[in-house]
């Protein structure tokens, strides 16, 4: 008899039949005597269509109102799943994030969990019910509804597992686990049996949206071991946990791609102290989230600075090109969309060399130009044209023979 937190993502609860499928699966665990907390997402497509609706009535919707709106998606699913369980004769009780005791800071649309007091969760578990919690949402100390960023139901599940000291945390999704690359882009990608928190964190942060990056960070901090697996079959999934020595034998664990990126190039900037500080202060004040930054070696007292940003921030970046030029006395500022970041990740990179050269060779064999490069201890990222990203990920996956890794 175990205490289990299970998270079911949007596709897994995407229509009434799938909600009934999830209810049947939960009922089986419950009948065996396990105590289940099920965290659920909005039905697939619902969060996106709510965002679209908001933009149809207002150009820049207030973030507090966005949270009020988006939280309704998960609230629909918790009640439907409770009803589906009731019709199987299983006691079930649905709770919003606030009722589950998830207290967050006040950063609407990307709130951080401050603490959890899961009294109602425990109370209904003790009464023998399956407890169903709305993912992705919480409440501030002042009682305002917040959401935890896209993919935030993963975070709800991990955080509740930590708070109630669950024996097992299972993330049920629409693929069999974490693969060496997105199996929808690379058909011969292989399922990873075990992956370290750090590798999962880097892959998630680099575009492998099978897990929300912040949820992995939380799991690492609180030592929550979890399994990513399918809600459509009973295959074993991928275990995400603390690293061990044998994990270092694999040099590259996975390849990730992040699309919807853009880059800003500021050319002919005087190479003097203080310019970058001034520039990036103005960029931050405009609310533009900067990612990779590259500055060229100075030629005759001038340099070029390029940085990447999410496509969503391009409007804001376009608004400030004039002031960037003025502030830095730059010759030109260009904003380019249609780029993607490709990353290879693996803790084995700490002790093996030659990863960068193999990566660059794979891209060059496909005639793909590398526009920017950045490295960290366990990751190498390159910026390339978005329309070549599928070719690139397949070629890199082949180069590192990730299809052969068991
Ligand atoms: P959920 O709705 O269950 O949270 P998501 O759509 O957020 O599911 O995440 C699952 C999707 O992540 C898969 O359908 C897959 O296309 C994508 N994905 C991207 N990279 C990977 C990877 N390395 N391994 C597995 N899935 C991946
Ligand atoms: N429904 C939210 C989203 O689509 C949260 C989640 O599914 O995890 O991002
Ligand atoms: Mg998800």
């Amino acid at each position: 008899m175990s205490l289990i937190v299970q998270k079911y993502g949007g596709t897994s609860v995407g229509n009434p039949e799938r909600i009934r499928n999830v209810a049947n699966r939960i009922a089986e665990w419950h009948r065996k005597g396990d105590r289940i907390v099920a965290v659920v997402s909005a039905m697939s497509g619902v969060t996106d269509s709510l965002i679209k609706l908001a933009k149809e009535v207002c150009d820049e919707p207030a973030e507090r109102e966005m949270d009020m709106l988006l939280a309704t998606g998960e609230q629909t699913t918790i009640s439907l799943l409770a009803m589906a369980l009731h019709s199987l004769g299983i006691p079930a009780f649905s709770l919003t994030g606030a009722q589950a005791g998830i207290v967050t800071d006040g950063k609407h649309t990307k709130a951080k969990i401050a603490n959890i007091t899961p009294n109602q969760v425990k109370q209904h578990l003790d009464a023998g019910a399956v407890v169903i919690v709305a993912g992705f949402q919480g409440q501030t100390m002042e009682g305002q509804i917040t959401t935890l960023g896209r993919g935030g139901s993963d975070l709800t599940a991990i955080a509740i597992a930590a708070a109630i000291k669950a024996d097992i945390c299972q993330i049920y999704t629409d693929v069999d686990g974490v693969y060496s690359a997105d199996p929808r882009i690379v058909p011969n990608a292989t399922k990873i049996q075990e992956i370290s928190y750090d590798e999962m964190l880097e892959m998630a942060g680099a575009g492998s949206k099978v897990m929300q990056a912040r949820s992995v960070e939380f799991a690492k901090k609180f030592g929550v071991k979890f399994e990513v697996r399918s809600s459509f079959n009973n295959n074993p999934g991928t275990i995400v946990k603390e690293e061990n020595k044998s994990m270092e034998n694999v040099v590259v664990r996975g390849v990730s791609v992040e699309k919807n990126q853009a880059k800003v190039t500021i050319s002919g900037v005087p190479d003097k102290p203080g310019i970058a500080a001034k520039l990036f202060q103005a960029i931050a004040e405009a609310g533009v989230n900067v990612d990779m930054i590259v500055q060229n070696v100075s030629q005759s007292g001038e340099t070029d600075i390029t940085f990447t940003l999410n496509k969503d921030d391009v409007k804001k970046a376009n608004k400030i090109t004039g002031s960037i030029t003025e502030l830095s006395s730059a010759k030109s500022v260009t904003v380019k969309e249609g780029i993607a970041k490709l990353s290879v990740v693996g803790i084995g990179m700490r002790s093996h060399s030659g990863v960068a050269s193999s990566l660059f060779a794979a891209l060059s064999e496909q005639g793909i130009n590398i526009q920017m490069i950045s490295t960290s201890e366990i990751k190498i990222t390159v910026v390339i044209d978005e329309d070549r990203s599928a070719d690139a990920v397949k070629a890199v996956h082949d180069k590192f023979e990730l299809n052969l890794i068991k």
Side-chain angles (χ1 to χ4, degrees):
M1 199 180 101
S2 305
L3 175 57
I4 308 176
V5 173
Q6 302 183 331
K7 179 254 168 176
Y8 293 93
T11 316
S12 305
V13 292
N15 58 42
E17 191 193 336
R18 288 187 176 172
I19 292 178
R20 285 202 302 273
N21 168 54
V22 168
N24 280 318
R25 297 177 69 103
I26 294 174
E28 235 175 85
W29 292 90
H30 187 264
R31 289 187 188 116
K32 278 192 298 180
D34 294 313
R35 299 197 299 157
I36 308 292
V37 177
V39 173
V40 290
S41 288
M43 294 163 76
S44 59
V46 166
T47 307
D48 286 337
S49 45
L50 289 172
I51 293 172
K52 191 163 161 271
L53 265 179
K55 298 224 163 115
E56 280 172 21
V57 295
C58 178
D59 271 349
E60 285 185 33
E63 292 187 328
R64 177 188 179 276
E65 302 308 328
M66 281 309 285
D67 279 352
M68 290 295 267
L69 179 68
L70 296 190
T72 63
E74 270 65 16
Q75 211 168 318
T76 305
T77 328
I78 51 170
S79 38
L80 290 175
L81 181 56
M83 292 171 197
L85 280 159
H86 294 164
S87 69
L88 298 173
I90 305 285
F93 201 90
S94 65
L95 297 172
T96 63
Q99 289 173 327
I102 298 176
V103 177
T104 72
D105 65 14
K107 271 212 158 264
H108 284 291
T109 75
K110 41 188 153 325
K112 285 209 167 79
I113 295 179
N115 61 68
I116 304 183
T117 35
N119 297 342
Q120 288 204 53
V121 175
K122 287 182 183 157
Q123 180 192 327
H124 294 291
L125 277 176
D126 289 347
V130 171
V131 178
I132 302 161
V133 178
F136 175 57
Q137 54 174 263
Q139 179 175 276
T140 64
M141 292 275 279
E142 294 76 31
Q144 301 300 321
I145 291 177
T146 51
T147 62
L148 310 174
R150 296 306 304 266
S153 300
D154 296 334
L155 177 57
T156 306
I158 304 268
I160 289 198
I164 64 172
K165 299 192 174 59
D167 301 306
I168 305 171
C169 180
Q170 300 167 326
I171 307 289
Y172 285 95
T173 183
D174 56 5
V175 283
D176 280 10
V178 181
Y179 280 71
S180 49
D182 187 340
R184 295 185 203 285
I185 304 175
V186 183
N188 67 355
T190 47
K191 184 167 73 187
I192 299 166
Q193 286 178 14
E194 286 188 351
I195 185 170
S196 68
Y197 291 126
D198 285 339
E199 288 169 321
M200 187 72 254
L201 185 55
E202 292 281 18
M203 281 179 69
S208 296
K209 68 160 193 160
V210 60
M211 284 301 296
Q212 187 211 33
R214 285 173 57 193
S215 71
V216 184
E217 212 177 333
F218 195 103
K220 182 183 178 191
K221 190 164 167 196
F222 293 96
V224 180
K225 179 169 135 183
F226 60 94
E227 182 182 11
V228 180
R229 53 187 297 178
S230 170
S231 68
F232 298 102
N233 59 46
N234 289 318
N235 298 340
T238 301
I239 305 287
V240 186
K241 60 178 200 179
E242 205 54 70
E243 71 181 70
N244 57 44
K245 209 62 210 135
S246 72
M247 286 179 179
E248 279 207 19
N249 297 336
V250 176
V251 185
V252 172
R253 180 78 58 195
V255 191
S256 304
V257 176
E258 176 119 55
K259 294 202 206 173
N260 296 320
Q261 302 292 296
K263 69 173 183 179
V264 175
T265 304
I266 311 165
S267 309
V269 183
D271 194 11
K272 343 185 259 223
I275 296 269
K278 249 198 265 173
L279 262 178
F280 284 97
Q281 189 185 343
I283 292 163
E285 278 166 9
V288 174
N289 260 316
V290 170
D291 183 22
M292 276 167 81
I293 304 174
V294 170
Q295 177 175 328
N296 281 341
V297 176
S298 157
Q299 298 277 0
S300 58
E302 281 185 355
T303 182
D304 297 339
I305 298 175
T306 306
F307 63 86
T308 64
L309 63 164
N310 197 289
K311 205 168 100 187
D312 295 345
D313 279 353
V314 162
K315 247 192 195 166
K316 291 183 204 157
N318 272 323
K319 273 192 199 156
I320 56 163
T321 50
S323 57
I324 289 182
T325 315
E326 220 168 275
L327 267 173
S328 59
S329 318
K331 295 221 167 91
S332 69
V333 180
T334 53
V335 182
K336 181 177 181 256
E337 293 187 44
I339 59 164
K341 291 188 300 182
L342 177 146
S343 306
V344 290
V345 172
I347 52 175
M349 281 187 212
R350 291 185 194 133
S351 46
H352 295 78
S353 56
V355 179
S357 62
S358 300
L359 167 63
F360 302 156
L363 296 171
S364 114
E365 283 154 21
Q366 296 294 314
I368 295 169
N369 187 42
I370 300 170
Q371 303 174 27
M372 292 168 82
I373 302 168
S374 88
T375 59
S376 74
E377 200 190 14
I378 66 164
K379 183 175 76 173
I380 304 175
T381 303
V382 291
V383 170
I384 56 175
D385 273 339
E386 186 170 10
D387 59 8
R388 298 300 312 276
S389 62
D391 299 334
V393 66
K394 284 183 202 136
V396 172
H397 194 270
D398 280 351
K399 179 63 94 186
F400 290 101
E401 299 185 329
L402 299 185
N403 56 320
L404 303 178
I405 292 176
K406 285 275 163 297

